[in-house]
Amino acid sequence: MNYRLGVDIGGTFTDIVIYSEQGWADIVKIPSSPDDPAKAVVKGAVDILEKHEIAYAEIKEIVHGTTVGANTILQKVGARTALLTTVGFRDVLEIGRIRTPDMFDLNWEKPIQLVTRRHRFEITERLSAEGQIVVPLDLDELREVAERIIAEGCEAIAICFLHSYVNPVHEQQARDLIEAEFPHLLVTASCDVLPEMKEYERSSTTVVNAYLLKQMRGYLARLERDLKNKGFSAPLLVINSAGGMMGVNAARERPVFAVGSGPAGGVAGAAKLAATTSLGALVAFDMGGTTAKASMILNDQPLLINEYEFREGISKPSSFTKGGGYVLKVPAIDVAEVGAGGGSIAWVDDGGLLQVGPTSAGADPGPAAYGLGNDRPTVTDANIYLGLIGATGLAGGNLHIDRSLAKEAIRTHVADPLGLTIDKAALGIRQIANANMARAIKSVTVERGLDPREMSLMAFGGAGALHAADLAEMLGMKRIIVPVMSGVFCSVGMLSSDVEHKLVRATQGLVSDWSGTELSRLIAALRGDMLALLANEGFANNQTRLRFGADLRYFGQSSDLSIGIDVETVVSAGGAALQPLFDAAYQSIYGYRDDTPAELVNLRVTGIGIRKQKLDFSSLKGCHLTETEGYAETRPVLFDQEDSWREADVMHRDTVLERVVRGPAILTSYDSTIALPPGTSARTDGCGSVVVDIQARSAEWAA
C-alpha cells in the first residue's frame, strides 16, 4: 500500500499526518525542536510508521509546511546579505514608502533593515524604461565589489538593477559572473524572483529571498539527509504561501515564496472542505501554541494577495496600513496573524494592565502546568485551571499536566499583583486572548466591508475549538465547524493540495494599445515557461492546469488590481476586452468605477500540477486516533465571568457521530478539545466535522 505524510512545524507542536491511498489516516503530535526543527519531523515520521508497522519504502511523498522562513526574519538570524543596485538607488530600502503604519504612534520605530547601508553597493550600469542599454554593466567594477563584499563577511548577495523587469540582461550577467567566480556566495537576482516594476517592492522581496537562502537551504538539506539516513526515499514537497505545493529545489532557490508556508496549509484545507460540503462563506480560524490566524474563504477559494508586509505583532497583509514591515511582493493567502496562542504568556505591564502575548512559552519549556521549568502562566494554563482541559487533554495524554502548577502561576503573576481571585484572573487571561484573536478575525471581515454574522467560523489548530464558541458569540456568528483532525489540520490541508507555481511578465501601456497578436505572444511565452517548470517537477502536460490573469489599473494610479482572464477572448479581441472586466472588478471592490482607460501592468499564469491520490475529504474513511468512548467523566468547568462553576460532561468527540451533544460539555480527541458552553449544541456533518450551533447561547445566558 502507498502512503503519504503531511508535516507541519508549529512553535509548540510538530504535527504528522499519514494518509493511505484507501482513505485511511492517523496522526501523531510531538513537541517541536526549536534548536533544529528537522529533529521533530524525523522523530514524528518514524514514530507513526513504527506504530503501524509501515515500511519506509511505502511512503511515496512527504509534504511539508515550515516556519523556518518566518522565524528567520523574526529572529534576525538570516545570512549576512549585501545588495547590488544601480548607481543612485542605494537607499531605496531605507526610503521605502515614506510613511508610518500609524501616524499617531509616536513610539513607532522603523524596522531594522535586513541589509545595512554599508552593505549596499552601487554598480555602474543603466537601462532605459524601455529596456534599452544606456550604460553597459561594468564587469571589472562588479568583481571589485564582490571582493569587498567577501571582505565584509557577507554570505549572500541580492541583485536588483533599475528596469530589469523589462530587460534582465544586466542582472543575469552579474548573477552568472558571481556564481562562476565566487561560488561560495549565495545569489538572488530580482529577475528570478520578481520581474515586476516598483523599485522598493522588488528590492525588498529580492533582499528577503537572499537573506533566507542560508537558513532554508541548510534546514532542507538536514531534513533530507536525516530522512534518508532513516530509510525514507520519498520526494519532499514544501507548501508555499499561496497554499500550493512546490518542489524542494524550488523552495531552496525561492524561499521567499514559503515565508507563510505553515498557515497556508490549514486555509487550503478549509477551502477544499468548504467545496466538498458546500459550507458557503466562512472564516478560517487557526489557533496554535504560539499564534492565532484568520483568513477568508469565499466561493470555496481562499482570498489571495500579490503583496504583503511581514511584521511582528498583528499582521494584516491586505490592510491599507503600510510601512510597518518587510514587503514581500509574492502570491500569498491573505492571513491575519496575532501573537495569541495556547502558549502565549500572561503578564502585568508597568501600568498595572493585564497583557497576553506576544511572547510564548513555546515547546520548551511550555506552559507552567507541564512542569518543565516555566513558572509564568499561559493561555493553556488558564484553560487548564478553568477545567476546559483535563489532565490528559493534550496530545492524547502524552503530556503530563499538573493543574496545581497552573493555579500557582496564575496566582503569583496575575491574581495577586492585580488583587483578583484566581477565577477572575484565569478568565481575564482567556478573555484578553479572545479579544486579540477577534481583532484578527475583524481585520479579514469587518475591515473589508464583510459581515461575519453572515459567515461560519471554521476552527482548527490545537486550541482553536477551545475558544471558537466565545469568538463566535463576540462576532455574532451562529455556526462553528470543527473539521476532522482539527488539531493537525494544517498537515491535513497540505495533503489535499496540488503543486502550484506562479509566474509573472511585466507589461506596459493602455489595454487598448495591446493587440491580440502581441498578447498571444506573451501568453505563449508564459505558458511555455510554466509547463517547463512543472515538467521539472515530474508533471506531464496532461497532468497540469493553467490559469491566466492580469494586473490592471486606471491610468495615473500606482496600485493595481488582479483579475482572471479568458485567453481565447483576449487573443481574439485584444487588450480592449480587459477594460470591462477590470471596470466590473473595480466596481465590486471599491463601489464605483471610472471612465479613465485602464493600463495593463502584468500578465500572470498559475500552473497547477495535479497530484495523484491527494487527500479527499469526501472519501476519508477513518481516522485511527483513539478508541471511541461514551461519557468518560464529568468535571467542574468555569465557562464565563457571568457563569459559575458547573459540572460539564466530558466525552469523546466521536459521540457526535451517534447523537446531538448539548452543552455544557467538553469533547475530547487526541489532537484537540472542543468546548461547548451552555446553550450550544454539536452534531456531525457526515464528513467527519463537528458542527456547533451557538444560536441558543444568548438565550441561555439571559435565562
Side-chain angles (χ1 to χ4, degrees), residues 123-188:
I123 298 295
T124 302
E125 68 85 38
R126 190 63 179 255
L127 299 175
S128 70
E130 293 74 32
Q132 302 299 317
I133 296 177
V134 178
V135 178
L137 175 65
D138 189 330
L139 297 181
D140 290 332
E141 180 188 23
L142 179 63
R143 291 186 178 92
E144 293 176 4
V145 169
E147 294 286 359
R148 289 168 57 194
I149 288 172
I150 293 173
E152 288 285 340
C154 292
E155 303 162 296
I157 296 178
I159 305 172
C160 191
F161 294 153
L162 189 65
H163 302 312
S164 65
Y165 60 90
V166 182
N167 183 357
V169 59
H170 283 175
E171 284 194 357
Q172 291 170 345
Q173 289 176 358
R175 177 200 63 199
D176 294 346
L177 184 149
I178 293 172
E179 288 181 341
E181 299 186 17
F182 307 93
H184 58 287
L185 290 175
L186 304 171
V187 184
T188 293

Coordinates of all heavy atoms in Angstrom, one line a residue, residues 123-188:
I123 N 26.4 49.8 -8.5 CA 27.1 49.3 -9.6 C 26.9 50.2 -10.8 O 25.7 50.6 -11.1 CB 26.7 47.9 -9.9 CG1 27.0 47.0 -8.7 CG2 27.4 47.3 -11.2 CD1 28.5 46.8 -8.4
T124 N 27.9 50.5 -11.6 CA 27.7 51.3 -12.8 C 27.0 50.4 -13.9 O 27.6 49.4 -14.4 CB 29.1 51.7 -13.3 OG1 29.7 52.5 -12.3 CG2 28.9 52.6 -14.6
E125 N 25.8 50.8 -14.2 CA 25.0 50.2 -15.3 C 23.7 51.0 -15.4 O 23.3 51.6 -14.4 CB 24.7 48.7 -15.0 CG 23.8 48.4 -13.9 CD 22.3 48.5 -14.2 OE1 21.9 48.1 -15.3 OE2 21.5 49.0 -13.4
R126 N 23.1 50.9 -16.5 CA 21.8 51.6 -16.6 C 21.0 51.1 -17.8 O 21.6 51.0 -18.9 CB 22.0 53.2 -16.7 CG 20.7 54.0 -16.6 CD 20.1 53.8 -15.2 NE 18.9 54.6 -15.0 CZ 18.8 55.7 -14.3 NH1 19.9 56.2 -13.7 NH2 17.6 56.3 -14.2
L127 N 19.7 50.9 -17.6 CA 18.8 50.6 -18.7 C 17.8 51.7 -18.8 O 17.4 52.3 -17.8 CB 18.1 49.2 -18.4 CG 19.0 48.0 -18.3 CD1 18.1 46.8 -18.0 CD2 19.7 47.7 -19.7
S128 N 17.2 51.9 -19.9 CA 16.1 52.8 -20.1 C 14.8 52.1 -19.6 O 14.8 50.9 -19.4 CB 16.0 53.3 -21.5 OG 15.5 52.2 -22.3
A129 N 13.8 52.9 -19.5 CA 12.5 52.4 -19.0 C 11.9 51.4 -20.1 O 11.1 50.5 -19.7 CB 11.5 53.5 -18.8
E130 N 12.4 51.5 -21.3 CA 12.0 50.5 -22.3 C 12.9 49.3 -22.4 O 12.7 48.4 -23.2 CB 12.0 51.2 -23.7 CG 10.9 52.3 -23.9 CD 11.3 53.5 -23.1 OE1 12.5 53.9 -23.0 OE2 10.3 54.2 -22.6
G131 N 13.9 49.2 -21.5 CA 14.8 48.1 -21.5 C 16.1 48.2 -22.4 O 16.8 47.2 -22.5
Q132 N 16.3 49.4 -23.0 CA 17.5 49.6 -23.8 C 18.7 49.8 -22.9 O 18.6 50.5 -21.9 CB 17.3 50.7 -24.8 CG 16.1 50.6 -25.7 CD 16.2 49.4 -26.6 OE1 17.2 49.1 -27.1 NE2 15.1 48.6 -26.7
I133 N 19.9 49.3 -23.3 CA 21.1 49.5 -22.6 C 21.6 51.0 -22.8 O 21.9 51.4 -23.9 CB 22.2 48.5 -23.0 CG1 21.7 47.1 -22.6 CG2 23.5 48.8 -22.2 CD1 22.7 46.0 -23.0
V134 N 21.6 51.7 -21.7 CA 22.1 53.1 -21.8 C 23.6 53.1 -21.3 O 24.4 53.8 -22.0 CB 21.3 54.0 -20.8 CG1 21.8 55.4 -20.8 CG2 19.8 54.0 -21.3
V135 N 23.9 52.4 -20.2 CA 25.3 52.3 -19.7 C 25.5 50.8 -19.5 O 24.8 50.2 -18.7 CB 25.5 53.1 -18.4 CG1 26.9 52.9 -17.9 CG2 25.2 54.6 -18.6
P136 N 26.5 50.2 -20.2 CA 26.7 48.8 -20.0 C 27.2 48.5 -18.6 O 27.8 49.3 -17.9 CB 27.9 48.5 -21.0 CG 27.8 49.6 -22.0 CD 27.3 50.8 -21.3
L137 N 27.0 47.2 -18.2 CA 27.4 46.8 -16.9 C 28.9 46.7 -16.9 O 29.6 46.1 -17.7 CB 26.8 45.4 -16.6 CG 27.3 44.7 -15.3 CD1 26.8 45.5 -14.1 CD2 26.7 43.3 -15.2
D138 N 29.5 47.3 -15.8 CA 31.0 47.3 -15.7 C 31.4 46.0 -14.9 O 31.3 46.0 -13.7 CB 31.4 48.5 -14.9 CG 33.0 48.7 -14.9 OD1 33.7 47.7 -14.9 OD2 33.4 49.9 -14.8
L139 N 31.9 45.0 -15.6 CA 32.2 43.7 -15.0 C 33.4 43.8 -14.1 O 33.5 43.1 -13.1 CB 32.4 42.7 -16.1 CG 31.2 42.4 -17.0 CD1 31.5 41.3 -18.0 CD2 30.0 41.9 -16.1
D140 N 34.4 44.6 -14.5 CA 35.5 44.8 -13.6 C 35.1 45.4 -12.3 O 35.6 45.0 -11.2 CB 36.6 45.6 -14.3 CG 37.2 44.9 -15.5 OD1 37.3 43.7 -15.4 OD2 37.7 45.6 -16.4
E141 N 34.3 46.4 -12.3 CA 33.8 47.0 -11.1 C 33.0 46.0 -10.3 O 33.1 45.9 -9.0 CB 32.9 48.2 -11.4 CG 32.4 48.9 -10.1 CD 31.3 50.0 -10.5 OE1 30.7 49.9 -11.6 OE2 31.1 50.9 -9.6
L142 N 32.3 45.2 -10.9 CA 31.5 44.1 -10.3 C 32.4 43.2 -9.5 O 32.1 42.8 -8.4 CB 30.6 43.4 -11.3 CG 29.8 42.2 -10.7 CD1 28.7 42.8 -9.8 CD2 29.1 41.5 -11.9
R143 N 33.5 42.8 -10.1 CA 34.4 41.9 -9.4 C 35.0 42.5 -8.2 O 35.2 41.9 -7.2 CB 35.6 41.5 -10.4 CG 35.1 40.6 -11.5 CD 36.3 40.1 -12.4 NE 35.9 39.2 -13.4 CZ 35.6 39.6 -14.7 NH1 35.6 40.9 -15.0 NH2 35.2 38.7 -15.6
E144 N 35.4 43.8 -8.3 CA 36.0 44.5 -7.2 C 35.0 44.6 -6.0 O 35.3 44.4 -4.9 CB 36.4 45.9 -7.6 CG 37.5 46.0 -8.6 CD 37.8 47.4 -9.1 OE1 37.2 48.3 -8.6 OE2 38.7 47.5 -9.9
V145 N 33.7 44.9 -6.4 CA 32.7 45.0 -5.3 C 32.5 43.6 -4.7 O 32.3 43.5 -3.5 CB 31.4 45.5 -5.9 CG1 30.2 45.4 -4.9 CG2 31.5 47.0 -6.3
A146 N 32.5 42.6 -5.5 CA 32.3 41.2 -4.9 C 33.4 40.9 -3.9 O 33.2 40.3 -2.9 CB 32.3 40.2 -6.0
E147 N 34.7 41.3 -4.2 CA 35.8 41.1 -3.3 C 35.5 41.9 -2.0 O 35.8 41.4 -0.9 CB 37.1 41.6 -4.0 CG 37.5 40.8 -5.2 CD 38.1 39.4 -4.8 OE1 38.1 39.1 -3.6 OE2 38.4 38.6 -5.7
R148 N 35.0 43.1 -2.1 CA 34.7 43.9 -0.9 C 33.6 43.3 -0.1 O 33.7 43.3 1.1 CB 34.3 45.3 -1.3 CG 35.4 46.2 -1.9 CD 34.9 47.5 -2.5 NE 34.1 48.2 -1.6 CZ 33.3 49.2 -2.0 NH1 33.2 49.6 -3.3 NH2 32.6 49.9 -1.1
I149 N 32.6 42.7 -0.8 CA 31.5 42.0 -0.1 C 32.1 40.9 0.7 O 31.7 40.6 1.9 CB 30.5 41.6 -1.1 CG1 29.7 42.8 -1.6 CG2 29.5 40.6 -0.5 CD1 28.8 42.5 -2.8
I150 N 33.0 40.1 0.1 CA 33.5 39.0 0.8 C 34.4 39.5 2.0 O 34.3 38.9 3.1 CB 34.4 38.1 -0.1 CG1 33.5 37.5 -1.2 CG2 35.2 37.1 0.6 CD1 34.3 36.8 -2.3
A151 N 35.1 40.5 1.8 CA 35.9 41.1 2.9 C 35.0 41.6 4.1 O 35.5 41.5 5.2 CB 36.8 42.2 2.4
E152 N 33.8 42.0 3.8 CA 32.9 42.4 4.8 C 32.2 41.2 5.5 O 31.5 41.4 6.5 CB 31.8 43.3 4.2 CG 32.3 44.7 3.8 CD 32.5 45.6 5.0 OE1 31.9 45.3 6.1 OE2 33.2 46.6 4.8
G153 N 32.5 40.0 5.1 CA 31.9 38.9 5.7 C 30.5 38.5 5.3 O 29.8 37.7 6.0
C154 N 30.1 39.1 4.2 CA 28.7 38.8 3.7 C 28.7 37.4 3.1 O 29.6 36.9 2.5 CB 28.3 39.8 2.6 SG 28.1 41.5 3.3
E155 N 27.5 36.8 3.2 CA 27.3 35.4 2.8 C 26.4 35.3 1.6 O 26.3 34.3 0.9 CB 26.7 34.6 3.9 CG 27.6 34.5 5.2 CD 26.8 34.1 6.4 OE1 25.8 34.8 6.8 OE2 27.2 33.0 6.9
A156 N 25.5 36.3 1.4 CA 24.5 36.3 0.3 C 24.5 37.7 -0.4 O 24.8 38.7 0.2 CB 23.1 36.0 0.9
I157 N 24.1 37.7 -1.6 CA 24.0 38.9 -2.4 C 22.6 38.9 -3.1 O 22.2 38.0 -3.7 CB 25.1 39.0 -3.5 CG1 26.5 39.0 -2.9 CG2 24.9 40.2 -4.4 CD1 27.6 39.0 -3.9
A158 N 22.0 40.1 -3.0 CA 20.7 40.4 -3.7 C 21.1 41.4 -4.8 O 21.7 42.4 -4.5 CB 19.7 40.9 -2.7
I159 N 20.6 41.1 -6.0 CA 20.9 41.9 -7.2 C 19.6 42.5 -7.6 O 18.6 41.8 -8.0 CB 21.6 41.1 -8.3 CG1 22.8 40.4 -7.8 CG2 21.9 42.0 -9.5 CD1 23.4 39.5 -8.9
C160 N 19.5 43.8 -7.7 CA 18.3 44.5 -8.1 C 18.7 45.8 -8.9 O 19.0 46.8 -8.2 CB 17.4 44.8 -6.9 SG 15.8 45.3 -7.3
F161 N 18.7 45.7 -10.2 CA 19.0 46.8 -11.0 C 17.8 47.5 -11.6 O 16.7 46.8 -11.8 CB 19.9 46.4 -12.2 CG 21.3 45.9 -11.8 CD1 21.9 44.9 -12.6 CD2 21.9 46.3 -10.6 CE1 23.2 44.5 -12.2 CE2 23.1 45.9 -10.2 CZ 23.8 44.9 -11.0
L162 N 17.9 48.8 -11.9 CA 16.8 49.5 -12.4 C 16.3 49.0 -13.7 O 17.1 48.7 -14.6 CB 17.2 51.0 -12.5 CG 16.1 52.0 -12.9 CD1 15.1 52.1 -11.7 CD2 16.8 53.4 -13.2
H163 N 15.0 48.8 -13.8 CA 14.3 48.4 -15.1 C 14.6 47.0 -15.5 O 14.4 46.6 -16.7 CB 14.6 49.4 -16.2 CG 14.1 50.8 -15.9 ND1 12.9 51.1 -15.4 CD2 14.8 52.0 -16.1 CE1 12.8 52.4 -15.2 NE2 14.0 53.0 -15.6
S164 N 15.1 46.2 -14.6 CA 15.5 44.8 -15.0 C 14.2 44.0 -15.3 O 14.3 42.9 -15.9 CB 16.3 44.1 -13.9 OG 15.6 44.0 -12.7
Y165 N 13.1 44.4 -14.8 CA 11.9 43.7 -15.1 C 11.5 43.7 -16.6 O 10.8 42.9 -17.1 CB 10.7 44.2 -14.3 CG 10.4 45.7 -14.5 CD1 9.5 46.0 -15.5 CD2 11.0 46.7 -13.8 CE1 9.2 47.4 -15.7 CE2 10.7 48.0 -14.0 CZ 9.8 48.4 -14.9 OH 9.5 49.7 -15.2
V166 N 12.0 44.8 -17.3 CA 11.8 44.9 -18.8 C 12.9 44.1 -19.5 O 12.6 43.4 -20.5 CB 11.8 46.3 -19.2 CG1 11.5 46.4 -20.7 CG2 10.8 47.1 -18.4
N167 N 14.1 44.2 -19.1 CA 15.2 43.5 -19.7 C 16.2 43.1 -18.6 O 16.9 43.9 -18.0 CB 16.0 44.5 -20.6 CG 17.1 43.8 -21.4 OD1 17.4 42.6 -21.2 ND2 17.7 44.5 -22.3
P168 N 16.3 41.8 -18.4 CA 17.1 41.2 -17.2 C 18.6 41.0 -17.6 O 19.3 40.5 -16.8 CB 16.4 39.9 -16.9 CG 15.9 39.4 -18.3 CD 15.5 40.7 -19.0
V169 N 19.0 41.5 -18.7 CA 20.4 41.2 -19.2 C 21.5 41.5 -18.2 O 22.4 40.7 -17.9 CB 20.6 41.8 -20.6 CG1 20.5 43.4 -20.5 CG2 22.0 41.4 -21.1
H170 N 21.4 42.7 -17.6 CA 22.5 43.1 -16.6 C 22.4 42.2 -15.4 O 23.5 41.8 -14.8 CB 22.4 44.6 -16.3 CG 22.9 45.4 -17.4 ND1 22.9 46.8 -17.4 CD2 23.6 45.1 -18.6 CE1 23.4 47.3 -18.5 NE2 23.8 46.3 -19.2
E171 N 21.3 42.0 -14.9 CA 21.2 41.1 -13.7 C 21.6 39.7 -13.9 O 22.3 39.1 -13.1 CB 19.7 41.1 -13.2 CG 19.3 42.4 -12.4 CD 18.0 42.2 -11.7 OE1 17.4 41.1 -11.7 OE2 17.6 43.2 -11.0
Q172 N 21.3 39.2 -15.1 CA 21.8 37.9 -15.5 C 23.3 37.8 -15.6 O 23.9 36.9 -15.2 CB 21.1 37.4 -16.8 CG 19.6 37.2 -16.6 CD 18.9 37.0 -17.9 OE1 19.4 37.3 -19.0 NE2 17.7 36.5 -17.9
Q173 N 23.9 38.9 -16.2 CA 25.3 38.9 -16.3 C 26.0 38.9 -14.9 O 27.0 38.2 -14.7 CB 25.7 40.1 -17.1 CG 25.4 40.0 -18.6 CD 25.8 41.3 -19.3 OE1 26.2 42.3 -18.7 NE2 25.6 41.4 -20.6
A174 N 25.4 39.8 -14.0 CA 26.0 39.9 -12.7 C 25.8 38.6 -11.9 O 26.8 38.1 -11.2 CB 25.3 41.0 -12.0
R175 N 24.7 38.0 -12.0 CA 24.4 36.7 -11.3 C 25.4 35.6 -11.8 O 26.0 34.9 -11.0 CB 23.0 36.3 -11.6 CG 22.6 35.0 -10.9 CD 21.3 34.5 -11.6 NE 21.6 34.2 -13.0 CZ 20.6 34.1 -14.0 NH1 19.3 34.3 -13.6 NH2 20.9 33.8 -15.2
D176 N 25.5 35.5 -13.1 CA 26.3 34.4 -13.7 C 27.8 34.6 -13.3 O 28.5 33.7 -13.0 CB 26.2 34.4 -15.2 CG 24.7 34.0 -15.6 OD1 24.0 33.5 -14.8 OD2 24.4 34.2 -16.8
L177 N 28.3 35.9 -13.3 CA 29.7 36.1 -13.0 C 30.0 35.8 -11.6 O 31.0 35.1 -11.2 CB 30.0 37.6 -13.3 CG 31.5 38.0 -13.1 CD1 31.9 39.1 -14.0 CD2 31.8 38.5 -11.6
I178 N 29.1 36.2 -10.7 CA 29.3 35.9 -9.2 C 29.3 34.5 -8.9 O 30.1 33.9 -8.2 CB 28.3 36.7 -8.4 CG1 28.6 38.2 -8.5 CG2 28.4 36.3 -6.9 CD1 27.5 39.1 -7.9
E179 N 28.3 33.8 -9.5 CA 28.2 32.3 -9.3 C 29.4 31.6 -9.8 O 29.8 30.6 -9.2 CB 26.9 31.8 -9.9 CG 25.6 32.2 -9.2 CD 24.4 31.7 -9.8 OE1 24.4 31.3 -11.0 OE2 23.3 31.6 -9.1
A180 N 29.9 32.1 -10.9 CA 31.1 31.4 -11.5 C 32.4 31.7 -10.8 O 33.2 30.8 -10.6 CB 31.2 31.8 -13.0
E181 N 32.6 32.9 -10.4 CA 33.9 33.3 -9.8 C 33.9 33.4 -8.3 O 35.0 33.4 -7.7 CB 34.3 34.7 -10.4 CG 34.4 34.7 -11.9 CD 35.0 36.0 -12.5 OE1 35.5 36.8 -11.7 OE2 34.9 36.2 -13.7
F182 N 32.7 33.4 -7.7 CA 32.6 33.4 -6.2 C 31.6 32.4 -5.8 O 30.5 32.8 -5.3 CB 32.3 34.9 -5.8 CG 33.2 35.9 -6.3 CD1 32.9 36.6 -7.5 CD2 34.4 36.2 -5.6 CE1 33.7 37.6 -8.0 CE2 35.2 37.2 -6.1 CZ 34.9 37.9 -7.3
P183 N 31.8 31.2 -6.1 CA 30.7 30.1 -5.9 C 30.2 30.0 -4.5 O 29.2 29.4 -4.2 CB 31.4 28.9 -6.4 CG 32.9 29.1 -6.3 CD 33.0 30.6 -6.5
H184 N 31.0 30.4 -3.5 CA 30.6 30.2 -2.1 C 29.5 31.3 -1.7 O 28.9 31.2 -0.6 CB 31.8 30.3 -1.1 CG 32.5 31.6 -1.2 ND1 33.3 31.9 -2.3 CD2 32.6 32.6 -0.4 CE1 33.9 33.1 -2.1 NE2 33.5 33.5 -1.0
L185 N 29.3 32.3 -2.5 CA 28.3 33.3 -2.2 C 26.9 32.9 -2.7 O 26.8 32.3 -3.8 CB 28.7 34.7 -2.8 CG 29.9 35.4 -2.3 CD1 30.2 36.6 -3.1 CD2 29.6 35.8 -0.8
L186 N 25.9 33.1 -1.9 CA 24.5 32.8 -2.3 C 24.0 34.0 -3.0 O 24.1 35.2 -2.5 CB 23.7 32.5 -1.0 CG 24.2 31.4 -0.1 CD1 23.4 31.4 1.2 CD2 24.1 30.1 -0.8
V187 N 23.4 33.8 -4.2 CA 23.0 34.9 -5.1 C 21.5 34.8 -5.4 O 21.0 33.7 -5.7 CB 23.8 34.9 -6.4 CG1 23.5 36.1 -7.2 CG2 25.3 34.9 -6.1
T188 N 20.8 36.0 -5.3 CA 19.5 36.1 -5.8 C 19.4 37.3 -6.7 O 19.8 38.4 -6.3 CB 18.5 36.3 -4.6 OG1 18.4 35.0 -3.9 CG2 17.1 36.6 -5.2

